[in-house]
């Protein structure tokens, strides 16, 4: 059992996993909640989206890093989203305590995941952890993410519009998983790259390199986010080969 919305669960899982396995070859940080209509919090008091989508994965990766470093060619895949393009790291109100907006919180959490991916590669290269860090997004995959996120706010118009336009612009969950699987397994997947669908606006299509925009390209923002994440989660990264 692993609940990314609980740091205690993350620690218990990592401890149990380390007791049963000598190394870890591939880690895919995939869990997410999207655009919850009302502000909710994790077991540790974090806003649910930044807590689950980013901080839980940050803590999990840190705790599993020693096992990753024991693999011959470890890969860590961070799941981001097209939403990162309109995301901004609001360090003054990271948890949405003073002003919560469902979609802004989601975009921020997915921007954080892409920043995390790029900064993890920088630190791996500097520290000699030997990681191949990649990121991916599914485009618009017809999973239950909307049904369990924005649709829970009772927006009948959103739900109706989703069903109308989905056949034109979305793809199946299986197709949406392909960029992640490509990043995790393809021999020619490039270190520090971001993969998504190759169709219109990267909504659907075959796996291909995707655009990284905005603050995701700013190392100063990445360093600040890393420091904040270590302080909030109480974990730090230490590996070694």
């Amino acid at each position: 059992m692993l609940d990314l919305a609980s740091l205690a669960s993350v620690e218990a899982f990592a401890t149990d996993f380390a007791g049963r396995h000598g190394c870890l070859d591939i880690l895919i940080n995939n869990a997410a909640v999207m655009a919850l209509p009302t502000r909710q919090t994790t077991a540790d008091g974090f806003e649910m989206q930044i807590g689950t989508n980013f901080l839980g994965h940050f803590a999990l990766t840190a705790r599993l890093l020693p096992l990753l470093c024991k693999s011959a060619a470890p890969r860590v895949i961070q799941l981001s989203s097209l939403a990162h393009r309109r995301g901004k790291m609001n360090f003054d109100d990271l948890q949405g305590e003073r002003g919560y907006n469902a979609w802004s919180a989601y975009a921020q959490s997915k921007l954080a995941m892409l920043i995390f991916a790029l900064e993890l590669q920088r630190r791996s290269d500097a520290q000699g952890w030997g990681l191949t860090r990649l990121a991916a997004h599914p485009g618009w995959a017809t999973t239950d993410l909307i049904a369990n996120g924005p649709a829970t706010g009772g927006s009948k118009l959103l739900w109706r519009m989703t069903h109308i336009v989905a056949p034109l612009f979305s793809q199946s969950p299986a197709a949406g998983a392909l960029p992640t699987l490509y990043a995790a397994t393809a021999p020619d997947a490039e270190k520090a790259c971001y993969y998504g669908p190759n169709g219109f606006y990267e909504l659907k299509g075959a796996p291909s390199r995707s655009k990284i925009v905005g603050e995701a390209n700013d190392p100063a923002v990445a360093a600040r986010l890393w420091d904040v994440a270590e302080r909030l989660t109480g974990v730090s990264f230490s590996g070694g080969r």
Side-chain angles (χ1 to χ4, degrees), residues 33-40 47-49 100 102 148-150 152:
V33 291
M34 182 175 76
L36 300 176
T38 58
R39 185 179 183 274
Q40 300 178 38
E47 186 277 317
M48 185 65 74
Q49 296 181 81
Y100 176 76
N148 290 298
T152 61

Side-chain angles (χ1 to χ4, degrees), residues 30-216:
N30 180 70
V33 291
M34 182 175 76
L36 300 176
T38 58
R39 185 179 183 274
Q40 300 178 38
T41 57
T42 68
D44 303 284
F46 305 136
E47 186 277 317
M48 185 65 74
Q49 296 181 81
I50 195 73
T52 303
N53 300 0
F54 169 58
L55 293 172
H57 288 129
F58 184 91
L60 178 66
T61 306
R63 293 193 179 279
L64 293 176
L65 182 62
L67 292 179
L68 286 162
C69 289
K70 292 179 180 179
S71 174
R75 293 193 189 192
V76 180
I77 317 303
Q78 316 290 12
L79 264 289
S80 186
S81 166
L82 286 168
H84 96 270
R85 298 183 183 185
R86 65 185 192 89
K88 184 173 179 59
M89 297 310 307
N90 184 2
F91 290 108
D92 293 329
D93 190 22
L94 192 69
Q95 309 292 341
E97 294 172 299
R98 296 197 296 273
Y100 176 76
N101 178 278
W103 287 104
S104 294
Y106 177 68
Q108 176 183 243
S109 72
K110 286 303 183 177
L111 171 62
M113 281 297 278
L114 189 50
I115 291 173
F116 177 32
L118 298 173
E119 183 65 9
L120 182 61
Q121 189 66 67
R122 295 186 192 102
R123 296 189 182 228
S124 174
D125 291 345
Q127 299 295 325
W129 296 336
L131 302 180
T132 295
R133 189 289 319 150
L134 303 105
H137 77 87
W140 181 1
T142 52
T143 67
D144 288 334
L145 193 62
I146 293 177
N148 290 298
T152 61
S155 175
K156 294 181 179 179
L157 177 59
L158 172 64
W159 198 235
R160 189 177 301 117
M161 289 299 297
T162 297
H163 283 287
I164 291 173
V165 301
L168 296 174
F169 299 108
S170 68
Q171 58 186 0
S172 69
L178 290 179
T180 302
L181 293 172
Y182 184 89
T185 64
D188 60 346
E190 299 179 56
K191 183 171 71 172
C193 281
Y194 181 39
Y195 290 97
N198 67 355
F200 171 72
Y201 199 68
E202 300 180 10
L203 290 170
K204 63 180 182 178
S208 181
R209 292 188 63 163
S210 293
K211 294 179 182 178
I212 301 174
V213 305
E215 291 182 331

